Short mmCIF file of all heavy atoms in Angstrom, two decimals:
data_model
loop_
_atom_site.label_atom_id
_atom_site.label_comp_id
_atom_site.label_asym_id
_atom_site.label_seq_id
_atom_site.Cartn_x
_atom_site.Cartn_y
_atom_site.Cartn_z
N ALA A 21 2.29 -4.07 -2.64
CA ALA A 21 1.70 -5.12 -3.47
C ALA A 21 2.78 -5.99 -4.11
O ALA A 21 3.78 -5.47 -4.62
CB ALA A 21 0.81 -4.51 -4.55
N TYR A 25 -2.15 -4.11 -8.36
CA TYR A 25 -3.43 -3.55 -8.82
C TYR A 25 -3.11 -2.44 -9.80
O TYR A 25 -2.34 -1.54 -9.49
CB TYR A 25 -4.18 -3.02 -7.59
CG TYR A 25 -5.07 -1.81 -7.77
CD1 TYR A 25 -6.08 -1.77 -8.74
CD2 TYR A 25 -4.92 -0.71 -6.92
CE1 TYR A 25 -6.91 -0.66 -8.87
CE2 TYR A 25 -5.75 0.41 -7.04
CZ TYR A 25 -6.72 0.43 -8.02
OH TYR A 25 -7.53 1.54 -8.13
N LYS A 28 -8.96 0.23 -13.30
CA LYS A 28 -10.30 0.17 -12.69
C LYS A 28 -11.33 -0.18 -13.73
O LYS A 28 -11.24 0.22 -14.89
CB LYS A 28 -10.66 1.53 -12.10
CG LYS A 28 -9.78 2.02 -10.97
CD LYS A 28 -10.30 3.36 -10.46
CE LYS A 28 -9.37 3.98 -9.42
NZ LYS A 28 -8.07 4.39 -9.99
N ILE A 34 -14.33 2.72 -7.40
CA ILE A 34 -12.97 2.16 -7.33
C ILE A 34 -13.02 0.62 -7.31
O ILE A 34 -12.69 -0.03 -6.31
CB ILE A 34 -12.14 2.75 -6.17
CG1 ILE A 34 -12.21 4.28 -6.21
CG2 ILE A 34 -10.69 2.28 -6.25
CD1 ILE A 34 -11.19 5.02 -5.36
N ARG A 80 -13.14 11.80 -2.81
CA ARG A 80 -12.89 10.48 -2.21
C ARG A 80 -13.00 10.54 -0.69
O ARG A 80 -13.48 9.60 -0.06
CB ARG A 80 -11.52 9.97 -2.64
CG ARG A 80 -11.49 9.58 -4.10
CD ARG A 80 -10.12 9.13 -4.46
NE ARG A 80 -10.05 8.57 -5.79
CZ ARG A 80 -9.04 7.82 -6.20
NH1 ARG A 80 -8.05 7.54 -5.38
NH2 ARG A 80 -9.03 7.35 -7.44
N SER A 158 -8.98 5.05 -1.70
CA SER A 158 -7.91 4.70 -2.63
C SER A 158 -7.96 3.18 -2.73
O SER A 158 -8.08 2.51 -1.69
CB SER A 158 -6.56 5.17 -2.08
OG SER A 158 -5.54 4.99 -3.04
N GLY A 159 -7.88 2.65 -3.93
CA GLY A 159 -8.02 1.20 -4.08
C GLY A 159 -7.12 0.43 -3.14
O GLY A 159 -7.56 -0.43 -2.36
N SER A 160 -5.84 0.77 -3.16
CA SER A 160 -4.86 0.03 -2.36
C SER A 160 -5.10 0.18 -0.86
O SER A 160 -4.59 -0.61 -0.06
CB SER A 160 -3.44 0.47 -2.72
OG SER A 160 -3.32 1.87 -2.60
N ARG A 163 -6.39 -2.77 1.35
CA ARG A 163 -5.47 -3.81 1.80
C ARG A 163 -4.76 -3.41 3.10
O ARG A 163 -4.23 -4.27 3.81
CB ARG A 163 -4.45 -4.14 0.70
CG ARG A 163 -5.10 -4.66 -0.61
CD ARG A 163 -4.03 -5.09 -1.61
NE ARG A 163 -3.00 -4.08 -1.71
CZ ARG A 163 -2.63 -3.46 -2.84
NH1 ARG A 163 -3.17 -3.79 -4.00
NH2 ARG A 163 -1.70 -2.54 -2.83
N SER A 213 -1.15 7.54 -9.87
CA SER A 213 -1.70 6.21 -10.16
C SER A 213 -3.08 6.30 -10.82
O SER A 213 -3.37 5.57 -11.77
CB SER A 213 -1.85 5.38 -8.89
OG SER A 213 -0.81 5.58 -8.02
N THR A 214 -3.92 7.17 -10.29
CA THR A 214 -5.30 7.23 -10.77
C THR A 214 -5.36 7.56 -12.26
O THR A 214 -6.01 6.87 -13.04
CB THR A 214 -6.10 8.26 -9.96
OG1 THR A 214 -5.94 7.96 -8.58
CG2 THR A 214 -7.56 8.23 -10.33
N MET A 217 -3.37 4.71 -14.46
CA MET A 217 -4.05 3.44 -14.72
C MET A 217 -5.25 3.63 -15.65
O MET A 217 -5.59 2.73 -16.41
CB MET A 217 -4.43 2.72 -13.42
CG MET A 217 -5.46 3.34 -12.55
SD MET A 217 -5.87 2.28 -11.13
CE MET A 217 -4.48 2.51 -10.03
N ASP A 307 6.40 0.47 -7.30
CA ASP A 307 5.04 0.93 -7.58
C ASP A 307 5.10 2.08 -8.58
O ASP A 307 6.01 2.12 -9.39
CB ASP A 307 4.33 1.31 -6.27
CG ASP A 307 3.91 0.06 -5.50
OD1 ASP A 307 3.68 -0.97 -6.16
OD2 ASP A 307 3.81 0.11 -4.27
C1 DP6 B 401 1.11 0.71 -8.42
O1 DP6 B 401 -4.45 2.66 -4.86
O2 DP6 B 401 -2.92 4.60 -5.41
O3 DP6 B 401 0.74 1.00 -6.10
O4 DP6 B 401 -7.22 3.47 -6.47
O5 DP6 B 401 -6.63 5.38 -7.97
O6 DP6 B 401 -6.21 5.56 -5.52
P1 DP6 B 401 -6.31 4.63 -6.71
O7 DP6 B 401 -4.84 4.05 -6.94
P2 DP6 B 401 -3.77 3.48 -5.89
O8 DP6 B 401 -2.93 2.55 -6.87
C2 DP6 B 401 -1.87 1.77 -6.42
C3 DP6 B 401 -1.14 1.19 -7.58
C4 DP6 B 401 0.16 0.48 -7.26
C5 DP6 B 401 -0.06 -1.02 -7.14
C6 DP6 B 401 -0.70 -1.54 -5.88
O9 DP6 B 401 -0.54 -0.96 -4.79
O10 DP6 B 401 -1.36 -2.60 -6.00
#
Side-chain angles (χ1 to χ4, degrees):
Y25 148 54
K28 297 182 186 67
I34 310 195
R80 289 179 172 197
S158 188
S160 54
R163 300 185 313 237
S213 321
T214 307
M217 67 175 76
D307 285 332

